[in-house]
Amino acid sequence: MSARKVVVTQRFFDEATIDYLRHNGCDVVIAELPAGKADGDVPESTLRDWLQDAKGWIVGHARVTRELLLALPQLKIVSRRGVGYERVDVAAIRDLGRVATIAAGGNDATVADQTIGMMLALGRRFREGQAGIARGSWAIPLGTDLYRKTVGVIGLGRIGRSVVKRLAAFECKVLVHAPREDADLAARLGFEYVDLDAVLAQSDYLTLHAPLTPQTRFLIRDETIRAMKPTAFVINTARGGLVEDRHLLNALQNQRLAGAGLDVFMSESDSGYQSVTQELASLPNVIAQPHSGASTREGLDRTNMIAARCVVAVLNGENPPSECVVADGRTTVTR
């Protein structure tokens, strides 16, 4: 094994990216994940075994703790094939002189497409129509348009902006609630900034694209759901924890919302919510997916390559693209 061992703890890692790493002098090791499990389900002791002698780690949802980093003094870079980094101990990365990166820009279009798809599927009641045909019924479930509806967007990062661009084709009125406002961007993309109360009260579709922070945790809960139209749909393709899933389930069961599109769930980080996830997924007016928003062939190929390029840059003593850097302990520059 060479001095540039790179361990990948993700599925669907394409040959072109493996070839790129090898061409740049890396020995690539693809970890054998247990069936039906992601690297976030793997014990830290197993991760430590896999990562012995590794200089680079391309990671999915595993927790990157200070203890793990201390056990791997040779590890130079933790490169996420994704854009969230709440499971990475950023302070430890910085303190220990390591680098942490994300695959910024790789999955914007992919997740935005899924978001629009969920809006259409919910409004047109695709799941209910198909279930009826499977039972032998041709009764038509009356749906609603996305065309010219009011869509609220909470969070305006790369994915949020991609969603806004797509909504223009549906001639939607787009309301954005975000911590920072950019008047030029609003004029260019044709949306309006509003406060949280307005986006809740006016939205026919409310889509979440905010990071999970102490301030955004359980942003959608009983109090905020009561402020919404009972005909509104909630879409969460961002992070479990933005929505209090128990409150959402209760609202859907009591017709206080029209439906929900969910790609992320509280149960991903709290097993006590597992039954809530199952109940949500069983409802006819819920579109549920297994955190697959970024998982298309094209989207994963893009994020694989961005993650790999970050690894090669650090192993070469260079700087990854600034938009990808979460923390760089070599220079104390942080994102």
Side-chain angles (χ1 to χ4, degrees):
M1 190 66 68
S2 79
R4 291 166 70 100
K5 175 182 174 182
V6 175
V7 174
V8 180
T9 58
Q10 285 276 266
R11 290 187 174 85
F12 311 118
F13 205 74
D14 63 288
E15 288 298 326
T17 303
I18 293 172
D19 288 345
Y20 167 81
L21 287 166
R22 287 173 175 162
H23 180 75
N24 282 276
C26 299
D27 285 313
V28 183
V29 178
I30 309 293
E32 293 188 16
L33 293 165
K37 301 290 186 181
D39 59 1
D41 303 309
V42 174
E44 187 168 294
S45 58
T46 303
L47 293 174
R48 196 180 303 127
D49 290 343
W50 286 347
L51 292 162
Q52 286 301 316
D53 303 320
K55 295 296 192 297
W57 179 16
I58 296 178
V59 62
H61 296 284
R63 293 194 178 278
V64 183
T65 65
R66 183 178 294 269
E67 292 72 23
L68 180 59
L69 292 169
L70 285 169
L72 301 167
Q74 81 294 336
L75 186 66
K76 295 180 179 295
I77 175 169
V78 176
S79 183
R80 272 228 64 225
R81 188 188 73 179
V83 294
Y85 54 90
E86 64 272 9
R87 296 190 176 197
V88 178
D89 188 332
V90 174
I93 290 283
R94 188 183 307 118
D95 293 346
L96 298 173
R98 317 298 174 83
V99 181
T101 59
I102 57 173
N107 61 17
D108 307 353
T110 306
V111 179
D113 284 356
Q114 187 202 49
T115 300
I116 298 297
M118 285 184 162
M119 291 181 187
L120 293 169
L122 289 166
R124 296 305 301 272
R125 300 172 69 179
F126 287 165
R127 179 175 177 179
E128 295 164 81
Q130 181 169 338
I133 291 175
R135 295 191 305 268
S137 170
W138 284 75
I140 295 173
L142 188 63
T144 187
D145 287 343
L146 177 56
Y147 173 62
R148 291 190 173 176
K149 288 296 188 295
T150 298
V151 179
V153 179
I154 295 183
L156 199 66
R158 297 178 187 87
I159 294 170
R161 291 194 297 271
S162 293
V163 170
V164 170
K165 291 174 183 177
R166 284 156 174 74
L167 290 170
F170 294 91
E171 300 181 23
C172 293
K173 177 181 179 182
V174 178
L175 305 177
V176 171
H177 177 66
R180 291 179 297 277
E181 297 187 4
D182 183 333
D184 291 339
L185 181 65
R188 188 165 70 253
L189 297 185
F191 65 84
E192 177 186 354
Y193 285 106
V194 297
D195 61 21
L196 182 61
D197 289 343
V199 81
L200 291 170
Q202 297 180 43
S203 295
D204 298 305
Y205 296 81
L206 181 70
T207 181
L208 307 179
H209 301 287
L212 180 61
T213 67
Q215 292 72 38
T216 62
R217 182 175 173 80
F218 292 162
L219 180 66
I220 302 302
R221 58 191 187 278
D222 276 341
E223 177 187 355
T224 48
I225 290 170
R226 285 196 296 270
M228 297 178 65
K229 301 176 182 180
T231 54
F233 300 95
V234 172
I235 296 92
N236 186 10
T237 59
R239 284 289 177 266
L242 294 176
V243 177
E244 206 331 339
D245 287 351
R246 291 192 178 105
H247 295 184
L248 176 64
L249 176 62
N250 182 266
L252 291 167
Q253 290 172 330
N254 289 282
Q255 291 79 53
R256 289 190 286 120
L257 285 172
L262 305 170
D263 188 44
V264 289
F265 299 88
M266 272 299 300
S267 59
E268 294 176 81
S269 58
D270 185 341
S271 60
Y273 279 80
Q274 190 57 50
S275 63
V276 178
T277 295
Q278 291 171 333
E279 287 188 75
L280 282 166
S282 71
L283 294 177
N285 57 343
V286 170
I287 304 294
Q289 291 293 296
H291 204 149
S292 60
S295 296
T296 63
R297 293 181 180 87
E298 298 86 354
L300 291 179
D301 287 355
R302 290 191 296 268
T303 50
N304 286 342
M305 186 59 76
I306 293 169
R309 290 186 185 280
C310 289
V311 167
V312 169
V314 170
L315 297 187
N316 286 345
E318 301 166 354
N319 294 322
S322 60
E323 67 270 17
C324 295
V325 177
V326 173
D328 188 341
R330 302 171 304 173
T331 62
T332 70
V333 173
T334 61
R335 181 178 181 274

